[in-house]
Amino acid sequence: MDNHRDWRNVAVLATCQMLYNSGRSLLVATSPLIAYEIAENKALSTVPISLAVIGTAAATIPASLLMRRVGRSLGFATGSAIGVAGGLTCLHGLYHGNFTTFCLGALLFGLFSGFAQLYRFAGADVAPEHFKSKAISLVLAGGLVAAFVGPELAILGHHMVADTPFFASYIFMIALTVLSGVIVMGVNIPKLSPEEARKPGRPIGEIMRQRVFIVATLCGVVAQAVMNLLMTSTPLAMRHASHAFSDTALVIEWHIFFMYAPGFFTGSLINRIGAVPTICAGIVIQTMGVAAALSGDGVGNFWFAMAALGLGWNFAFTASTNLLTQTYTPSERAKTQAAYNFIIFTVVAFGSLSSGVLMHWFGWAWVNAGAAPLLIVSLLTAAWLGMAQRRA
């Protein structure tokens, strides 16, 4: 029975991950271009994406605490409702050419993202130890279909409404978000038992001082921040290099494909070689992506850079999430997951905000050059933990 429940939860959560990521990839592919057209200051063209990341960070703690009280299914459905409100607000701002309103919509969609970031944890909440890494990676693999759905819907809706480019695309985004809120009600994850709910667990400061928590968080931050920094800048960099939007959409599609396709085997890889070696492999692959981006501005360079960043992110981020599950008990999971996601997306928000300024004033090369030291620090930290664990 438990095995059936675990696979059912993974299927439901992976489907919701697919729907959420389809909407998110649509936002990523279109919002910098929309903002570039409607904002007076072109340096603000990545602000909508940055606000979406800020919204993600802002929602992480409230989302975790709400789900501790009302359960996963109702909590996730609440997040979807906020996402629908965000899509409608984006639609209003787009129709009226109002940059501020469009940004507000992106912020609200980011709040939904803060809830959706818990899909991967939810799959592992009640899974047996041997299934946790597979549950996490398979839920993330749900984003695979989104690699093509989001950008293709962006292309399909680009000129569907005369005089308002991408208007229909955002109608599609709203429909995807509504569907995710309906489907997620089928998830079956029990609330904490009364005994677990009464146990306060260790103080969050004590949990965060564990070296495993520190390394898991640092590596998760760098994997997500580097990926987001370069992904956010890519549509603008390709525009500056005079590439067509169809080429940009293709690059984003394959980037997201490589982010989620490995999810079908990353869990097995972690079980086989361990979380830390998988993190290290992911960091090395992301570094290869940065090198490709620095080597030229052809479509092939962008494609390889984004593909490597996506693949490296999958290894490093999935393994970091798996590593984090070793640091808390059931009664501590809400606050630990909240702290982890809050730290990650707060840092990512600052990086995303700076990406537009870096692109505007310094160019694509400097955006990539700024990512390299972060990857080196992350690799050294993961290697240090690996050596410490072997000695122990």
Side-chain angles (χ1 to χ4, degrees), residues 120-181:
R120 70 191 193 279
F121 285 116
D125 277 350
V126 292
E129 193 62 37
H130 70 274
F131 190 66
K132 285 185 184 294
S133 59
K134 288 186 178 180
I136 292 168
S137 64
L138 288 172
V139 169
L140 287 175
L144 175 61
V145 178
F148 303 100
V149 172
E152 288 300 324
L153 288 178
I155 294 171
L156 180 63
H158 190 183
H159 298 297
M160 192 174 286
V161 176
D163 302 324
T164 312
F166 298 117
F167 186 86
S169 303
Y170 280 77
I171 294 177
F172 295 143
M173 186 177 82
I174 293 166
L176 293 169
T177 309
V178 170
L179 194 56
S180 74

Side-chain angles (χ1 to χ4, degrees), residues 281-319:
I283 297 167
V284 170
I285 294 169
Q286 284 194 308
T287 305
M288 292 169 60
V290 169
L294 288 170
S295 65
D297 61 0
V299 173
N301 295 88
F302 283 109
W303 184 92
F304 184 86
M306 287 295 103
L309 282 164
L311 177 60
W313 172 87
N314 181 279
F315 284 5
F317 197 70
T318 304

Side-chain angles (χ1 to χ4, degrees), residues 232-270:
T232 301
S233 302
T234 293
L236 292 176
M238 293 189 71
R239 178 190 176 100
H240 292 161
S242 302
H243 296 305
F245 177 69
S246 58
D247 290 328
T248 301
L250 181 69
V251 167
I252 295 297
E253 282 179 2
W254 282 101
H255 167 67
I256 297 171
F257 174 85
F258 279 100
M259 283 177 67
Y260 297 110
F264 292 106
F265 62 83
T266 305
S268 298
L269 180 67
I270 293 169

Side-chain angles (χ1 to χ4, degrees), residues 138-222:
L138 288 172
V139 169
L140 287 175
L144 175 61
V145 178
F148 303 100
V149 172
E152 288 300 324
L153 288 178
I155 294 171
L156 180 63
H158 190 183
H159 298 297
M160 192 174 286
V161 176
D163 302 324
T164 312
F166 298 117
F167 186 86
S169 303
Y170 280 77
I171 294 177
F172 295 143
M173 186 177 82
I174 293 166
L176 293 169
T177 309
V178 170
L179 194 56
S180 74
V182 174
I183 291 175
V184 81
M185 296 302 291
V187 79
N188 178 19
I189 298 175
K191 297 182 186 179
L192 292 175
S193 68
E195 182 183 357
E196 289 173 332
R198 282 194 300 269
K199 290 180 180 177
R202 294 166 293 171
I204 188 61
E206 182 180 339
I207 296 170
M208 293 172 67
R209 285 193 295 271
Q210 298 173 92
R211 65 184 177 188
V212 174
F213 180 94
I214 293 169
V215 174
T217 304
L218 176 64
C219 293
V221 164
V222 172

